[in-house]
Each structure stands twice: as C-alpha cells, then as structure tokens.
Amino acid sequence: MIELQNVWVEKGDSILLEDVTMAVRKGEFVYLIGPSGAGKSTLLRLIYFDERPTRGRVAVEGRNSDAIRDRDIPFIRRKIGLIFQDFNLLRDRTVLDNVAFALEVTGASRSTLHRRALAALAAVGMTQKRNEIPDHLSGGERQRVVIARALVNEPVLLLADEPTGNLDARATENVTEILRNIHRQGTAVIVATHDATLTQRSPHRTVRLESGKIKGQ
Ligand SMILES: Nc1ncnc2c1ncn2[C@@H]1O[C@H](COP(=O)(O)OP(=O)(O)OP(=O)(O)O)[C@@H](O)[C@H]1O
Ligand SMILES: [Mg+2]
C-alpha cells in the first residue's frame, strides 16, 4: 500500500530524511517512533504528498511521487484520514457540523451528511456532545472529534501525528483504543509518536527514526 524507496528529503543544507526505505501493507498498524526532530512528521507528509522526496520514490495506493500530478493529489488524499495535533476544528461550528463539513460533498442531502457524521461520532463515543462547540470540550474530547472527522470519509489509511501529545493517561488510553478499533475494521494506521509508553506493550510493528535515518523496523 505504501512504499518508500531510498527516499531523501533535503532542504538547503539540512537532510530531513536520509535513504529511507520502508513499506506498509494494507491494513497494517505501524508506530513511527524517534526523538524530536528525527523526521517523523516529514515522513508522514511524504505519504500524503504534502512533501516530495528530493531523491528516491514514494508510492501510495499505486500513485508514485515521480509521476503524480498536483491535480491528482486531492484524489489520493481522499483515501487518507489525517489526525494532526493542531486540532484545526472550526470554532463557530458544532461538533456534528465539524465532522459533517469534512464529508465529500457529492450532492448528498443534509440529513445524509448528518447521519454519516453521527456514525463517525458514535465510533469515538462523542454522540452526546454533538451539539457543543469545540471550545466547550476538553483536549481529549476535541481529539476524538478530530478522529471522527478523519474517519467520516472511510479512509483506507489513517495517519496520526502525535495523536495523544497533549492528553493525560486516561485520554491517551481512550484515543489508543479508538485507533485500535479502526485498525480492526481493516484500515491501515500509522502513528508517529515520541511517547514510549504507547509502544511498550503494543503488539504492533515499530519503525524507529533517528536523525532522518531508519534505525530499526
Ligand atoms: N522546511 C524545513 N527546512 C529545514 N528544516 C526543516 C524544515 N522542516 C523541518 N525541518 C527540520 O527537519 C527535522 C525533522 O523534522 P520533523 O518535524 O519531521 O521531526 P519530528 O520527528 O516530527 O519531530 P517532533 O517529534 O518534534 O514532532 C527537524 O530537525 C526540523 O527542524
Ligand atoms: Mg513531528
């Protein structure tokens, strides 16, 4: 599903990623770990074509960084759910509208959009807060809305960058459980984190980055 072959990302004199080769299979769960500045976010950005390699090649769902045209990028991104730390929720919209807003607009009726948004909110246990605005939620609750928003288009791949970064132990466990459930339903999940407690007792594959290089996978 994802293949990085001898990928380099260079900016001026800085080498952000150096000769990275890795693959992620359909439906796999992978933790991407490594210290701050190791290149984890850069690697995730390559996978949704927000960043292009300066050398090597990135292939995602049959699309290839050598060949993909800018206008094709939105199509591949539709298959990818993004969970990033800056929550980016719309402050003047309810939880339900935030999630419904992320749905592809295909001429579906408002009631259809809301039905699908409610299903995504149910998956993260946020049905009861559907009419709140994000400012009235805790950090963990906001993060669950962000996850619902990423799920609503039924992505084949979910990319999460420090999804538990600002959360306490209980909220972290909660978000982790939600990600495991998504994975159980067949979605490939890649979680970038420097939180070792997340990976210690995890059965999932761990890929370690250090100074832009893979140090174990
Ligand atoms: N546009 C840029 N130009 C030059 N260097 C950059 C640029 N963007 C990121 N970097 C550098 O690339 C390195 C990797 O950054 P990246 O954000 O991928 O790390 P990270 O592993 O996600 O770190 P963190 O755990 O702190 O989120 C860092 O040293 C960063 O300063
Ligand atoms: Mg990062």
Side-chain angles (χ1 to χ4, degrees):
M1 163 181 248
I2 301 171
E3 248 187 274
L4 283 78
Q5 274 174 8
N6 306 105
V7 166
W8 294 64
V9 175
E10 297 149 291
K11 303 229 186 239
D13 291 337
S14 313
I15 300 174
L16 279 59
L17 290 176
E18 181 175 337
D19 204 25
V20 167
T21 296
M22 71 175 281
V24 176
R25 293 189 309 274
K26 229 179 181 61
E28 201 175 4
F29 193 120
V30 179
Y31 277 115
L32 186 59
I33 60 165
S36 181
K40 304 181 295 295
S41 298
T42 305
L43 200 153
L44 293 185
R45 281 205 299 276
L46 282 171
I47 295 172
Y48 67 97
F49 296 107
D50 190 38
E51 183 80 67
R52 303 276 189 130
T54 41
R55 290 188 249 173
R57 168 173 175 275
V58 178
V60 180
E61 283 281 282
R63 297 308 189 110
N64 181 332
S65 57
D66 292 338
I68 194 167
R69 294 166 301 183
D70 283 348
R71 68 168 187 267
D72 293 331
I73 291 174
F75 292 98
I76 184 93
R77 284 203 186 142
R78 271 175 213 171
K79 300 182 177 183
I80 303 176
L82 300 178
I83 301 172
F84 287 171
Q85 217 176 13
D86 47 37
F87 299 107
N88 256 334
L89 294 172
L90 304 168
R91 295 181 67 179
D92 57 347
R93 304 260 184 157
T94 64
V95 161
L96 182 61
D97 280 341
N98 262 281
V99 176
F101 201 67
L103 274 166
E104 293 310 324
V105 184
T106 51
S109 68
R110 195 176 157 83
S111 68
T112 302
L113 294 182
H114 275 185
R115 188 168 42 74
R116 286 184 57 189
L118 277 171
L121 285 170
V124 299
M126 284 294 289
T127 310
Q128 282 185 356
K129 304 268 177 157
R130 63 186 177 278
N131 293 322
E132 294 288 352
I133 55 166
D135 279 356
H136 294 173
L137 302 178
S138 73
E141 289 168 341
R142 277 204 293 276
Q143 190 63 319
R144 285 192 271 157
V145 179
V146 170
I147 295 174
R149 192 182 56 183
L151 289 181
V152 76
N153 285 309
E154 297 174 354
V156 294
L157 169 65
L158 204 61
L159 302 178
D161 199 352
E162 300 286 356
T164 58
N166 295 322
L167 308 181
D168 68 14
R170 192 157 156 253
T172 294
E173 183 51 45
N174 193 316
V175 165
T176 304
E177 189 53 38
I178 292 167
L179 294 176
R180 282 199 202 108
N181 283 336
I182 294 162
H183 169 243
R184 264 185 227 118
Q185 286 159 30
T187 305
V189 179
I190 305 179
V191 178
T193 182
H194 46 227
D195 182 357
T197 61
L198 231 57
T199 54
Q200 263 159 14
R201 288 168 295 124
S202 156
H204 302 303
R205 176 153 80 108
T206 299
V207 175
R208 183 171 179 79
L209 271 179
E210 264 175 44
S211 308
K213 284 179 270 196
I214 300 249
K215 290 287 179 180
Q217 62 175 313

